[in-house]
Amino acid sequence: MALLETKGLSMTFGGLRAVAGFDYILEEGELAGLIGPNGAGKTTVFNMISGLLAPTSGHIYYAGEEITRLPAHEVTKRGMARTFQNIRLFSQLTALENVMIAFHRHVKYGYARAFLHLNIGREEEEIRESAYRLLEEVGLAERAHQIAHNLPYGEQRRLEIARALATRPKLLLLDEPAAGMNIQETARLKTFIQEIHDRYNLTILVIEHDMSLVMGVCRRITVLDYGMKIAEGTPDEIRSNPRVIEAYLGEETADVAN
Ligand SMILES: Nc1ncnc2c1ncn2[C@@H]1O[C@H](COP(=O)(O)OP(=O)(O)OP(=O)(O)O)[C@@H](O)[C@H]1O
Ligand SMILES: [Mg+2]
């Protein structure tokens, strides 16, 4: 069954067609990739699907329901979570506090610390325990009381994913999770994505420039170029697709043929 479907999804910024008529189907349980050169429209697709941007035209269906133009918190409520290309954490709070806040979807960034102090009592204890358990599950329990900002980059990314998992999503959208990571961190991330996919029965769509990661974990890859889908297939099919190779020619960040 399709968990996510887009039909004719389009976004125009001023005169720029960032995404043009994107038709896409993501089956429940898939671990799929979305790639394309810089500026191809990948993040814009995520922004529309997750309710941060209202599409100029087209439709989005999630779990059998049309969600086009629903605000982000309504989309979250239906079981979708995402991470961002630029890490979004409460950098001055601990890893544990970051996850605790994620259990409450409506806390504004500026009020995070005040919220933690106000929300004392039994409910807070339960949230603290759940947050700690989640940190254990993602291998960050030892970091629970460290300030997010001081964690190694790879662990900040992992913490961001843990925050996304706190809402217990069915669908997880990851926007360039390996960005800025070194080779070892990327290799660990690859295993981690596979693990959470299996353990939580998650459907995952990942945007990534790191070809070792995307070709290594995704069974199916979709390629965007200038806002349009130019290819879709298995990693092997994508690697040898002439249109894809052409789109990536001159790109420094990725070498799709390797
Ligand atoms: N809010 C916005 N306002 C105006 N233009 C935008 C906005 N967001 C994205 N764009 C433009 O839309 C196009 C697609 O951008 P998008 O961020 O979706 O690309 P991307 O595929 O995620 O690229 P990258 O790999 O560099 O992250 C780009 O030309 C970008 O400059
Ligand atoms: Mg992007």
Side-chain angles (χ1 to χ4, degrees), residues 20-162:
F22 184 59
D23 293 325
Y24 185 68
I25 290 179
L26 185 66
E27 300 291 336
E28 193 165 348
E30 266 194 285
L31 204 178
L34 182 61
I35 68 170
N38 290 118
K42 306 178 296 295
T43 297
T44 304
V45 165
F46 270 21
N47 287 344
M48 290 188 281
I49 293 171
S50 60
L52 289 183
L53 269 182
T56 313
S57 60
H59 302 270
I60 307 165
Y61 304 90
Y62 179 68
E65 180 193 4
E66 175 150 21
I67 59 161
T68 320
R69 297 192 176 78
L70 280 187
H73 67 270
E74 287 294 334
V75 176
T76 307
K77 232 192 256 175
R78 283 162 176 74
M80 194 192 300
R82 68 171 292 178
T83 62
F84 291 87
Q85 197 164 339
N86 303 310
I87 293 184
R88 291 194 185 181
L89 290 171
F90 300 101
S91 61
Q92 298 308 320
L93 299 183
T94 65
L96 184 67
E97 288 167 336
N98 265 280
V99 178
M100 286 175 71
I101 289 165
F103 278 89
H104 299 265
R105 298 179 186 130
H106 306 299
V107 183
K108 295 235 160 53
Y109 272 56
Y111 300 110
R113 188 167 301 273
F115 164 81
L116 284 170
H117 285 300
L118 283 174
N119 195 34
I120 44 173
R122 186 153 161 238
E123 196 197 355
E124 197 223 5
E125 262 322 299
E126 282 167 13
I127 288 168
R128 184 179 294 275
E129 269 170 38
S130 307
Y132 189 78
R133 229 174 298 131
L134 187 52
L135 284 178
E136 277 180 334
E137 287 169 22
V138 302
L140 285 177
E142 285 174 16
R143 303 294 203 192
H145 302 296
Q146 292 191 19
I147 300 294
H149 177 74
N150 295 336
L151 296 179
Y153 197 74
E155 293 185 356
Q156 290 190 30
R157 285 265 173 209
R158 189 176 286 237
L159 179 58
E160 207 197 7
I161 295 174

